[in-house]
Every structure is written in C-alpha cells, then in structure tokens.
Amino acid sequence: MSVVMAGVGVQPRWVGIGMASLLSTSSSPGINSNGKLRIKMAVTPVDEKKKAYTLQKSEEAFSKAKELMPGGVNSPVRAFKSVGGQPILFDSVKGSRMWDIDGNEYIDYVGSWGPAIIGHADDEVLGALAETMKKGTSFGAPCLLENVLAEMVIAAVPSVEMVRFVNSGTEACMGVLRLARAFTGREKIIKFEGCYHGHADPFLVKAGSGVATLGLPDSPGVPRAATFETLTSPYNDIETVENLFKTNEIAAVILEPVVGNAGFIPPKPGFLDALRQITKENGALLIFDEVMTGFRLSYGGAQEYFGITPDLTTLGKVIGGGLPVGAYGGRREIMEMVAPAGPMYQAGTLSGNPLAMTAGIHTLKRLKEPGSYDYLNKVTGELIQGIVDAGKKAGHAICGGYISGMFGFFFTDGPVFNFDDAKKSDTSKFARFYRGMLEEGVYFAPSQFEAGFTSLAHTTEDIQQTIAAAEKVFQRI
C-alpha cells in the first residue's frame, strides 16, 4: 500500500511495514558544468589485521569530564544513558567519517545532529571560513554576509518573506513563540507529544529528544505558570487539535512537520493540510519548526516537500553549515512586529556573526546544485531498506522510513504514527544493536528516539559497509 502525501503527491518512504516502495535513481550529487563530481570520497580499505576495538582513552577522559561538567557532557543527548556504556570522545571528522581519541574510525549517521549535510569539514567551507576569519570572528554590528544568507533563505523557503538570525534552534523557537503571541494577542499554544522545540520553559511539556531518551518528566525548575498555556496533542491526531480549538483561544500551533526528536515519524496524508485549514479558520498561526527538516528534506524544507506553507518557520543546523546558528522567519506583516521594526523584543550579541553566515552560504550553494537531493534520497533509501531487510531476515521486529537525507528505524513491527507508537519499540534491543554497531565502526545517534542523517559525502560503499555490519550485529543480538 502506497500513501500519497497531502499537497503535492509526494511520499515519505517507509520500509518494513508494507508502505511505499523505495525510489531508485542514479543521480549524483553536485555535478559541475564540466561533468565532474564534486564529491570524491574514498572508503578506507579494510585492514585484514584490524586492531581490537578499545575505548580506553575515551573512558579515562570521560571520567575526568564527569568531575568538570554535569554528567560529563554539555548536552544530554550526547550521553549514553539509554544505550549503556559511556559517550565516545571524538578527535576529528571528515566527509562521512569520524575518528575518536582512541583512533577508532566510524561511518557517521549523526552529522552533528543534522548540519553536516554536505559532509564534515568540507574543504570549500573550511577555505571560506579561513578567509572570513582573517577579517574577524564577530563584529557585534551588521555585516554584508547577513544580507547574502538572508536573501538565500527567503528565496528558498516558501513561508519566509523576512528572517531574523539567532544562535540556536532553541533561541529561534523562543523568539517565534513570543512573536506569535505578540501578533495574535493570545497566549495559548498547541504542541505535539514527542516534538522537541528546544529547552525553553513553555516547550518542556511532553517533549522528545533528550527528555524522551533520559525518561525525564517535565523538567524540574520549570514553573507551572510557564507551561500553563501550552496544550498538547498526539502527533497525527487532528481530532484532538479540533477539540482544543473548540474550547481555547489559540495563538499558534507549532510542530516538527516531520518528527525527528521521537525518531523518524512523517505526517499522515492530510494532517498538515488540516492543521493549515484549522489555524486559518480560527485566526491562529501555523508554525513549522524546521530546525531539523529545513534544507534537508528539500531545498525549501518540509513545507516545499509537502506543499504546505505555514505562517512562521524556525530554522537552524544546515543554514549554519556546522556553526552555531538559528533563525525564524515568515510573513512580512508578522515579522515587522520584531524589534527594532516593532515592539516585540529579541536580541543576540553573536546573531548573524560572519563565520556562521559564511558556512551557511557555502553549504546552501552546494545543496542548490543539480542532483543533490536525488543523491541523498538514493543513499538513504538504500541504507534504510538494507537495515530493515537485514533485521527482518534475522527474525527481529523492525520498521523504518526516510525522506531525502533523514531517516529512522524502530524495533517494533509498526507502523509508527506518534510518540506512543514509538515508545512500543524494544529499546533494550536497540541498545544492544547500537553497541554492536559501534564495534563494527558505525555511529548512530545514541537513542531510539532520534532521527538519523545522511550526507552528500556518504558513498555507496559506506552504505554497503553499514548494511554488512548490521547483518552481523543482528545475528548476534
């Protein structure tokens, strides 16, 4: 059974649960006018005398880190709480590969949690950054590069007529929430269970990402007043949303158009259309949190992919090319509420800094080249199909799906339509699979409840090596 998505007849790719078949394409990424490929990634030959896998140096360093930083990390999603063991300390990255401080090499499917869509430490981006650094790393004043990246974002993302750059996805979501309330004069918002919009107080209600991974309740330190106006609904459940609108004055509905912080969960056909319709009818704003999906599902993000234009959009990750960045944007009449054009205040010393702007500009230039998203779709489809097939062959309950350079799989028969469905996954088995894949040189996100990412630097050889590793691990778990 294939499922045609709302808007423009596109399909999320699901495997393992009888849904749409995979695309097959021979397109390659970034073809220059002379016909040569930009990406020439070589796979390291397998050493017949492969050294024993050890994390001794990581273990020693992490023991010290726990004395210096809470939990030894600076972001909870980096911890290995749900998979066992301890975080690995990395030393360097390049293309599709990562190397830890013990010298182990990994094929990487985290991609710095999404930004590394053209590959880690890209030579052109690094060269551009080196030239920019000669002029300074932060001005605390406007620079021309802000105009350049703003024009690129506005040209690409259907909903964005004006944009404000910030420094993180959390900051972008904080700003867009304040803006939605200022514009509508209302306070209540609707968010979806398992969707993560950063760690600001109003969003830490039934959140995904690290909150789900660590099994934490609504975070201590968040006052009830901060979340009192936050209403929640299961993802893909339009009936609950309709009922919330019947009894509340809603300022905005915010969601990840494709959930990536509870694992990979695409919208059901008609779900985004229905949200667009109900918000228009009730004078509320529709906000797409595209920090993860922006410039990853397509050049215009999920809203271009599905053909649904929200009122406001948050962005991050890819638009900074690996440097700290965030942004929010939307219709001009709404964005002109933001100071200094209007009364809604938001500011940031490092917002629009020249390094983040440079990395973003050169990353987006690469993505705009013909064949980029066809290639991402091809390698990601091969990856998820291979993993799911290998798991089923070994007798495991498993399903998975992907769109372009974003994917996920669950240790359950599925289908997975919301966070409750995702929680049926066998997380103990995922933990065993995860640790086994590390030993085989493959690095996934250390949580069942996080999406994975491919890049233009991933080769067919990378994918085949990953599937071969998965076949071995499935046999022994």
Side-chain angles (χ1 to χ4, degrees):
M1 177 181 69
S2 66
V3 178
V4 179
M5 299 303 296
V8 291
V10 291
Q11 298 177 341
R13 309 297 166 183
W14 276 96
V15 296
I17 56 173
M19 296 182 75
S21 60
L22 297 166
L23 282 182
S24 177
T25 175
S26 59
S27 298
S28 299
I31 301 174
N32 290 330
S33 57
N34 61 8
K36 294 181 180 179
L37 290 177
R38 279 188 179 274
I39 296 169
K40 297 180 180 179
M41 295 301 299
V43 176
T44 304
V46 176
D47 186 352
E48 293 298 330
K49 297 181 180 180
K50 185 179 178 181
K51 73 180 185 70
Y53 183 73
T54 177
L55 295 173
Q56 181 180 348
K57 291 182 181 179
S58 272
E59 290 169 357
E60 293 171 354
F62 185 64
S63 293
K64 181 63 176 177
K66 288 189 289 186
E67 300 173 7
L68 304 170
M69 296 169 282
V73 295
N74 283 305
S75 181
V77 295
R78 300 173 189 173
F80 276 37
K81 293 289 187 180
S82 68
V83 295
Q86 62 160 61
I88 297 170
L89 276 69
F90 284 96
D91 179 65
S92 64
V93 293
K94 188 69 177 178
S96 63
R97 303 283 173 140
M98 303 174 73
W99 291 265
D100 66 25
I101 62 174
D102 285 279
N104 300 306
E105 180 177 347
Y106 306 85
I107 303 171
D108 176 38
Y109 294 103
V110 178
S112 193
W113 301 91
I117 192 169
I118 64 173
H120 288 295
D122 178 80
D123 289 341
E124 289 187 19
V125 173
L126 292 180
L129 285 172
E131 290 301 311
T132 299
M133 286 177 67
K134 294 177 183 178
K135 299 179 180 180
T137 59
S138 175
F139 300 157
C143 70
L144 188 59
L145 293 168
E146 294 170 271
N147 288 18
V148 176
L149 186 57
E151 288 177 348
M152 295 177 77
V153 169
I154 290 168
V157 183
S159 67
V160 178
E161 296 176 354
M162 299 186 81
V163 64
R164 166 61 63 86
F165 292 114
V166 292
N167 297 292
S168 70
T170 289
E171 192 180 350
C173 289
M174 290 170 63
V176 85
L177 174 58
R178 185 179 300 162
L179 176 57
R181 286 170 164 167
F183 183 78
T184 62
R186 304 172 184 175
E187 294 187 0
K188 285 182 166 52
I189 63 164
I190 298 174
K191 73 172 290 288
F192 293 89
E193 297 168 8
C195 283
Y196 179 73
H197 306 292
H199 60 264
D201 286 358
F203 296 122
L204 286 182
V205 180
K206 297 185 179 179
S209 193
V211 179
T213 298
L214 298 176
L216 297 176
D218 295 343
S219 178
V222 177
R224 182 175 181 273
T227 59
F228 182 74
E229 306 293 357
T230 302
L231 310 176
T232 63
S233 167
Y235 186 76
N236 274 322
D237 183 349
I238 195 62
E239 183 178 353
T240 297
V241 175
E242 290 171 343
N243 289 334
L244 289 173
F245 267 96
K246 289 177 182 178
T247 55
N248 295 277
E249 286 280 304
I250 305 297
V253 175
I254 185 170
L255 76 158
E256 298 176 78
V258 172
V259 180
N261 288 290
F264 175 88
I265 308 175
K268 286 182 179 180
F271 178 62
L272 299 181
D273 274 310
L275 290 178
R276 177 67 285 181
Q277 184 65 28
I278 196 170
T279 49
K280 281 186 176 180
E281 290 175 352
N282 289 273
L285 300 181
L286 179 60
I287 304 170
F288 276 9
D289 179 353
E290 296 226 43
V291 168
M292 189 173 286
T293 58
F295 291 92
R296 179 161 281 280
L297 301 193
S298 70
Y299 193 71
Q303 57 198 265
E304 178 187 65
Y305 185 87
F306 292 110
I308 306 293
T309 303
D311 300 295
L312 291 166
T313 299
T314 60
L315 297 165
K317 299 187 185 296
V318 170
I319 65 164
L323 274 72
V325 78
Y328 60 98
R331 298 204 317 263
R332 181 174 297 273
E333 63 174 315
I334 304 174
M335 292 300 295
E336 286 181 338
M337 289 280 294
V338 180
M344 196 286 291
Y345 192 77
Q346 176 269 313
T349 299
L350 294 173
S351 298
N353 74 82
L355 292 184
M357 300 297 98
T358 295
I361 289 165
H362 286 272
T363 297
L364 298 195
K365 283 182 178 178
R366 184 74 61 80
L367 288 173
K368 200 172 183 180
E369 293 177 356
S372 294
Y373 291 94
D374 288 336
Y375 185 81
L376 288 170
N377 203 63
K378 176 180 181 294
V379 295
T380 314
E382 291 172 352
L383 173 71
I384 200 67
Q385 182 72 69
I387 289 174
V388 170
D389 285 350
K392 285 187 171 294
K393 186 177 180 180
H396 300 288
I398 187 171
C399 66
Y402 74 101
I403 301 175
S404 188
M406 181 177 175
F407 68 88
F409 53 89
F410 297 95
F411 280 93
T412 178
D413 287 323
V416 175
F417 291 130
N418 54 46
F419 191 35
D420 281 343
D421 291 339
K423 289 188 289 187
K424 296 174 184 176
S425 185
D426 188 337
T427 54
S428 295
K429 183 176 287 185
F430 175 84
R432 297 194 299 274
F433 175 78
Y434 181 83
R435 294 194 300 270
M437 292 299 281
L438 284 181
E439 294 178 10
E440 297 296 329
V442 178
Y443 189 72
F444 289 119
S447 168
Q448 175 70 95
F449 304 119
E450 296 284 354
F453 305 101
T454 53
S455 75
L456 296 180
H458 282 86
T459 64
T460 298
E461 290 78 14
D462 288 332
I463 304 305
Q464 291 172 348
Q465 186 175 332
T466 302
I467 294 169
E471 289 173 346
K472 292 167 65 176
V473 175
F474 279 131
Q475 290 296 328
R476 62 178 189 251
I477 65 168

